[in-house]
Amino acid sequence: MLQSFARLSWRRLAAAAPLAAAVRCASSGSVDITVPLNFWAGKRRRGPEKCNTENVYEPATGRILCHLEPCGPVEVDQAVKAAKSAFGHWSKMSGMERARTMIEAAHIIESRREEIAEMEVVNNGKSITEARLDVDSARLCIEYYAGLASTLAGQHVQLPGGSFAYTRREPLGVCVGIGAWNYPFQIAAWKSAPALACGNSMVFKPSPVTPVTAVMLAEIYAKAGAPEGLFNVVQGGQETGSLLCHHPDVAKLSFTGSVPTGKKIMEMASKGVKPVTLELGGKSPLLIFQDSDLENAVRGALMANFLSQGQVCSNGTRVFVQRDILPEFVEEVVKRTQAIEIGDPLLESTRMGALVSRSHLDKVLSFVDQAKKEGATVMCGGEPFVPSDPKLRGGYYMTPCVLSNCTDEMTCVKEEIFGPVMSVLSFETEEEALQRANDSTLGLAAGVFTRDVRRAHRVVEHLKAGSCFINNYNITPVEVPFGGFKMSGIGRENGQVTIEYYTQLKTVFVEMGDVDSLF
């Protein structure tokens, strides 16, 4: 329940003038802050009567936000059964009918944009500016797949003698989405929108670190007219996720998170031969050639490392800079990094909020310490940050860090840090840069900055990554597929191709003559 949230966080919101709207939302009842965070069969539900609740924290202050009630076997089964029941009705609707419900949900999200964004900030710690863009991405994703819902079609194949065959693209059934804590609302939309457009239903488990906004999406779908049980939310950690993976009525699993957890989910799914979509970690390279537009290259490097406090799986944290421009590049990046305003993520001026948890902050800081021990030079940042506002002094802040003199063997270059830490490396030739860029078990994203269009396309062709950027970084339009190579995952999210991951193909043969039998 969220009584702690009512006592602590909204009092802080009221102190900030730009957030008067959020206070009005709370007082008017449009955000119910005293009910459970589980949701199935059309309403919020309590967890097991006897369960160990877990604290959920507000990253900006370090205070307890609410208490999470993890779902056990009974609750998971109820949620899956609700989804199975809704699937029976939803899958028989036409694409146009499904699209109308989804478009209405998108309209509701648009009307509640500020409210959802502020709740995301309070639960996640990212800046309000970024949170608004996340909400926009969620809305656009739902709109995009609503547009595709009525286009699902098969193929007609003419056979000899007037006979023919055709294919039907059919929904899978109950799909499970398991989200990450860095983009809670956006990921819930990215997974649910294609699933629902194809006629499936979904049970979604958000990260126990950021459980709040997924249930808001469930209520939005319900208000838009979705059948009861179409989109359900169960809260919990590893045990709850395992129950979902093993449930016999679950047809597909889609997970965003770490490589080790992705491997476990893939193993569990294999027991039931269930298809999986895995969007996992990254240690992505960003190649900056000496003929680059330096201003854009610097901007790209900052966007590749410091969005959401560096907690982005696709971040280009291995920044390879051609030697001739290295000093100028580092000087400008450091200057811009030191100018990033850190503090209250609910203020419009803030560009870097709090990391998601105390333990994660400590982990990121330990990577910086290890880098120093291994010989990297800290050009700026990499230290705990204490805001001047006394209400924020328990928050999980650090100064964004730029490391130079890095080598490929260093821990900071090899392992995913998932924080605001940029590792800068130098290179001489294109061939050398490509070899080093691809020297990783991960392959989620990669980028290249150059004015030479032939080089740009040549380099991208040889980069072993699922999402590549030329003269930009970390842009994710919903019309374009997103996903990784190698150990960064299986399948794709967004774009038309994702329809294939939420449907199955049935082939039908039609004989128009007599059976030609050998017997």
Side-chain angles (χ1 to χ4, degrees):
M1 293 181 292
L2 293 175
Q3 285 93 336
S4 299
F5 188 6
R7 288 197 304 271
L8 296 174
S9 295
W10 288 110
R11 183 181 302 168
R12 185 168 73 83
L13 299 187
L19 299 167
V23 178
R24 287 196 297 273
C25 286
S27 62
S28 67
S30 62
V31 178
D32 192 339
I33 57 175
T34 61
V35 293
L37 296 172
N38 297 302
F39 185 101
W40 60 83
K43 64 181 182 180
R44 297 201 188 207
R45 309 276 180 169
R46 294 200 178 281
E49 286 189 16
K50 295 181 179 179
C51 70
N52 296 320
T53 60
E54 300 175 12
N55 292 336
V56 178
Y57 294 90
E58 180 184 19
T61 65
R63 296 179 291 191
I64 295 175
L65 182 64
C66 59
H67 301 286
L68 183 74
E69 297 176 340
C71 287
V74 173
E75 293 73 32
V76 167
D77 189 56
Q78 289 174 352
V80 173
K81 284 180 177 176
K84 187 177 181 180
S85 176
F87 170 73
H89 173 65
W90 183 253
S91 62
K92 291 179 172 60
M93 294 169 64
S94 71
M96 288 290 287
E97 290 172 315
R98 294 197 294 268
R100 279 195 287 270
T101 299
M102 295 177 69
I103 288 294
E104 179 59 24
H107 288 163
I108 296 170
I109 291 171
E110 187 171 28
S111 69
R112 296 177 62 181
R113 178 186 190 236
E114 199 68 12
E115 169 195 345
I116 298 166
E118 286 163 357
M119 193 71 79
E120 193 86 321
V121 170
V122 170
N123 194 192
N124 169 272
K126 67 175 62 186
S127 73
I128 185 66
T129 302
E130 287 193 41
R132 292 187 186 114
L133 297 176
D134 294 352
V135 176
D136 290 344
S137 176
R139 172 182 58 80
L140 290 169
C141 185
I142 293 171
E143 289 178 347
Y144 174 73
Y145 284 107
L148 290 182
S150 63
T151 69
L152 302 186
Q155 181 184 18
H156 176 275
V157 180
Q158 190 65 47
L159 300 174
S163 297
F164 61 94
Y166 64 91
T167 59
R168 292 169 50 91
R169 191 159 287 284
E170 298 183 352
L172 298 168
V174 177
C175 298
V176 162
I178 301 178
W181 47 253
N182 56 340
Y183 288 90
F185 190 80
Q186 183 192 85
I187 289 175
W190 278 21
K191 294 190 184 302
S192 62
L196 302 190
C198 292
N200 303 289
S201 58
M202 176 164 277
V203 179
F204 185 80
K205 190 194 81 66
S207 165
V209 179
T210 53
V212 176
T213 51
V215 74
M216 297 175 73
L217 180 61
E219 291 177 324
I220 287 168
Y221 278 131
K223 187 176 181 181
E228 287 188 1
L230 185 67
F231 181 78
N232 312 273
V233 176
V234 294
Q235 304 287 354
Q238 182 177 343
E239 181 183 352
T240 307
S242 178
L243 290 167
L244 288 167
C245 292
H246 286 118
H247 198 288
D249 289 333
V250 168
K252 179 199 167 63
L253 302 162
S254 178
F255 169 74
T256 297
S258 70
V259 173
T261 304
K263 288 180 178 180
K264 292 177 183 176
I265 287 174
M266 194 172 181
E267 182 181 359
M268 287 186 283
S270 71
K271 308 297 184 192
V273 197
K274 299 174 183 178
V276 295
T277 294
L278 302 175
E279 197 274 277
L280 308 177
K283 191 64 184 177
S284 301
L286 176 59
L287 278 55
I288 298 175
F289 288 89
Q290 62 188 17
D291 67 341
S292 301
D293 180 316
L294 191 64
E295 171 65 19
N296 277 327
V298 169
R299 290 180 181 179
L302 296 174
M303 291 292 287
N305 281 271
F306 299 139
L307 282 176
S308 294
Q309 297 75 250
Q311 300 166 144
V312 182
C313 52
S314 59
N315 270 0
T317 53
R318 293 186 292 146
V319 181
F320 293 91
V321 184
Q322 204 154 21
R323 190 174 301 278
D324 287 351
I325 62 168
L326 180 64
E328 185 181 3
F329 174 85
V330 170
E331 180 183 1
E332 190 61 27
V333 160
V334 168
K335 184 174 73 173
R336 302 281 185 93
T337 301
Q338 290 174 322
I340 294 173
E341 185 159 345
I342 313 165
D344 189 341
L346 285 161
L347 296 180
E348 298 288 342
S349 59
T350 297
R351 286 297 172 266
M352 183 168 289
L355 275 71
V356 77
S357 69
R358 172 65 62 187
S359 60
H360 187 63
L361 171 63
D362 292 341
K363 179 182 176 182
V364 174
L365 291 171
S366 73
F367 271 106
V368 177
D369 290 339
Q370 182 67 23
K372 289 189 284 188
K373 291 176 183 176
E374 293 178 5
T377 302
V378 177
M379 301 301 295
C380 66
E383 299 176 340
F385 179 82
V386 181
S388 57
D389 185 339
K391 294 187 291 295
L392 305 177
R393 290 182 180 173
Y396 316 133
Y397 302 91
M398 69 173 285
T399 51
C401 179
V402 177
L403 300 173
S404 68
N405 297 321
C406 297
T407 63
D408 296 345
E409 296 75 27
M410 291 180 178
T411 304
C412 62
V413 176
K414 295 176 72 69
E415 296 186 19
E416 185 176 31
I417 298 175
F418 221 64
V421 181
M422 179 194 301
S423 298
V424 181
L425 306 97
S426 66
F427 73 92
E428 297 280 0
T429 68
E430 178 181 318
E431 293 74 21
E432 172 205 347
L434 279 168
Q435 187 275 323
R436 294 168 63 194
N438 289 327
D439 186 18
S440 172
T441 59
L442 302 173
L444 185 55
V448 54
F449 276 82
T450 178
R451 286 191 174 98
D452 185 336
V453 67
R454 289 181 297 178
R455 170 189 280 154
H457 291 285
R458 184 172 63 243
V459 167
V460 162
E461 179 185 357
H462 290 95
L463 286 169
K464 306 303 182 186
S467 297
C468 293
F469 305 91
I470 295 176
N471 293 331
N472 208 332
Y473 206 91
N474 266 343
I475 52 172
T476 52
V478 297
E479 304 94 327
V480 179
F482 178 78
F485 286 6
K486 298 188 278 190
M487 291 180 69
S488 286
I490 296 172
R492 291 295 180 268
E493 294 189 304
N494 294 338
Q496 285 186 325
V497 70
T498 301
I499 296 298
E500 297 178 15
Y501 297 104
Y502 283 99
T503 56
Q504 53 195 345
L505 205 61
K506 177 182 287 182
T507 302
V508 181
F509 296 90
V510 181
E511 177 58 60
M512 298 302 287
D514 295 327
V515 175
D516 186 10
S517 175
L518 295 176
F519 306 100

